[in-house]
Amino acid sequence: MPAVRPRPAPAPPGTPSAPPRRTAFAEGLDRLRAAATTEPGRLRIIGAVIALLVVAFGAVTAWQSYDRAAAADDVLNRSQPLSSDAADIYRSLADANTAASSGFLAGGQETAAAGSRYEKDIRTAAEKLVKAAANSEPKSPSALAIAKINRLLPEYKGLVERARVYNRQGYPVGGAYLRLANSTMQEQMLPAAEELYTSENERLKADYGDATPYPWAAMALGVVALAALAWAQHRAYRRTNRVLNHGLVAASGAAVIVLLWLVVGHSVARSGLNGSYDHGVRSLNALHDARIASLKARGNENLSLVARGADTVKVGEKTYDKYYYDFDRDIADLGKRLAEARRLADDTAGGKPVAAAEADMAVWRQRHDSVRTEDENGNYQQALDKVIGDKDATGECFDSVDDNLRTALEHEQREFQQSARDGLHAMGFLPVGAAVLAVLGAAGAVFGIGRRLSEYR
């Protein structure tokens, strides 16, 4: 049977209890207070605080600079190219629809150029959709829009092929299939492509928003670190009557270089990125919108002859041919987009093709009025010749507008890339440079304080 351990006797009344055990933090504070009562202890505390401030300044500078440089790189190499790809998807789909209607109007005499243009546009749209899908987040608005277009694209192609087959055989039902294909494009595919374009533009704006804000936290830490270094040097001067402490001077120099690099580098980067948006992205958006408006106008002009009055729209008390009515709306929108693009163009190379497109649009309007007159008077063949003919046709004006807009887009794309690249390069080496200089500055501060401590040994 195990022995029973006796219970300890209770303490007599009035006996003081043992004090509670102190925490390591409390003991550390006591040691810090004790060290601060001596000059060597105070110097150690000052050296540690200054080194910590300089390292923190360098770390925050490297972090914020890297974050902004990464966003600037996304602007240049990811979000803006994807925004342009989204615009190209819209343009390719709209142009394919226009090419399909132009080929249909030619009947059995459809040219190889019209067929090739249609196939090229469909292929371009499919390729750009694959690229956009690879860079979109699952279940995001962009991904949903891409999925919708991919689902409808085979259906649209099937309707166009049926329209072609029946048209070559002379059956009027071919026009119904083409109008159904156009309805699928205009009411489902192009709105989805526009949503994709809008989503990619929002992503581009978000990347600009991440790349351009000033790094206030790093700047504030830099000012605090420099103030602490200045105070420490003034304190050393008052106690030793020595003008300079080499270690603290070196730390101050490193902090000044990082702060100036941060302020100047970010200001240059911000200027370049803002320039790339104001003189690049805004112009590109206006030109993309103008190109889309011209494609819509051309498609409606063709379909007005395909439908031959079968589709109408009522506005107030008046009834209009649907496609003529839509053409008037689209050509007016084209005029506004071209005026905006000309206003945003900041040099002759960008403004000249836009002005030429405006002149072509004016001629297009005149020729379209003639087409409408012929069509309304029952002269269908004359109207058709004025739309897809070889001479003085509205198709020439559309092609010229499109070519001039392509030239302007290529110029503005180069302008954007140059400005954005300048902005990115201004921050290129700052994260690494700030980290290295911060370590050297902290080492200089420790060395400078260490030299003072050696005088007490």
Side-chain angles (χ1 to χ4, degrees), residues 101-114:
S101 60
S102 296
F104 185 92
L105 287 175
Q109 305 300 318
E110 179 181 357
T111 64

Side-chain angles (χ1 to χ4, degrees), residues 178-210:
L178 188 66
R179 293 197 301 276
L180 182 57
N182 176 71
S183 177
T184 301
M185 177 65 74
Q186 298 288 347
E187 297 175 10
Q188 298 184 68
M189 297 175 70
L190 290 183
E194 186 174 5
E195 184 177 350
L196 174 62
Y197 179 49
T198 301
S199 298
E200 294 303 332
N201 269 344
E202 289 300 320
R203 184 176 359 181
L204 176 59
K205 290 179 182 177
D207 285 339
Y208 268 107
D210 292 338

Side-chain angles (χ1 to χ4, degrees), residues 3-68:
V4 178
R5 181 177 299 174
R7 292 181 179 180
T15 302
S17 59
R21 186 174 180 180
R22 305 191 66 201
T23 64
F25 178 73
E27 292 177 356
L29 281 179
D30 285 344
R31 285 196 292 269
L32 188 62
R33 291 193 194 99
T37 60
T38 65
E39 181 62 13
R42 285 192 288 269
L43 286 173
R44 289 188 181 93
I45 293 172
I46 291 169
V49 171
I50 290 176
L52 181 61
L53 279 174
V54 173
V55 169
F57 170 43
V60 173
T61 298
W63 164 55
Q64 291 196 309
S65 299
Y66 177 81
D67 187 57
R68 282 155 178 75

Side-chain angles (χ1 to χ4, degrees), residues 90 288-298 329-335 337 364:
Y90 193 111
H288 282 308
D289 290 343
R291 206 173 186 193
I292 287 168
S294 71
L295 285 163
K296 286 182 175 180
R298 179 59 176 172
R329 180 195 59 196
D330 294 331
I331 206 73
D333 187 42
L334 173 60
R337 302 298 183 181
W364 186 0

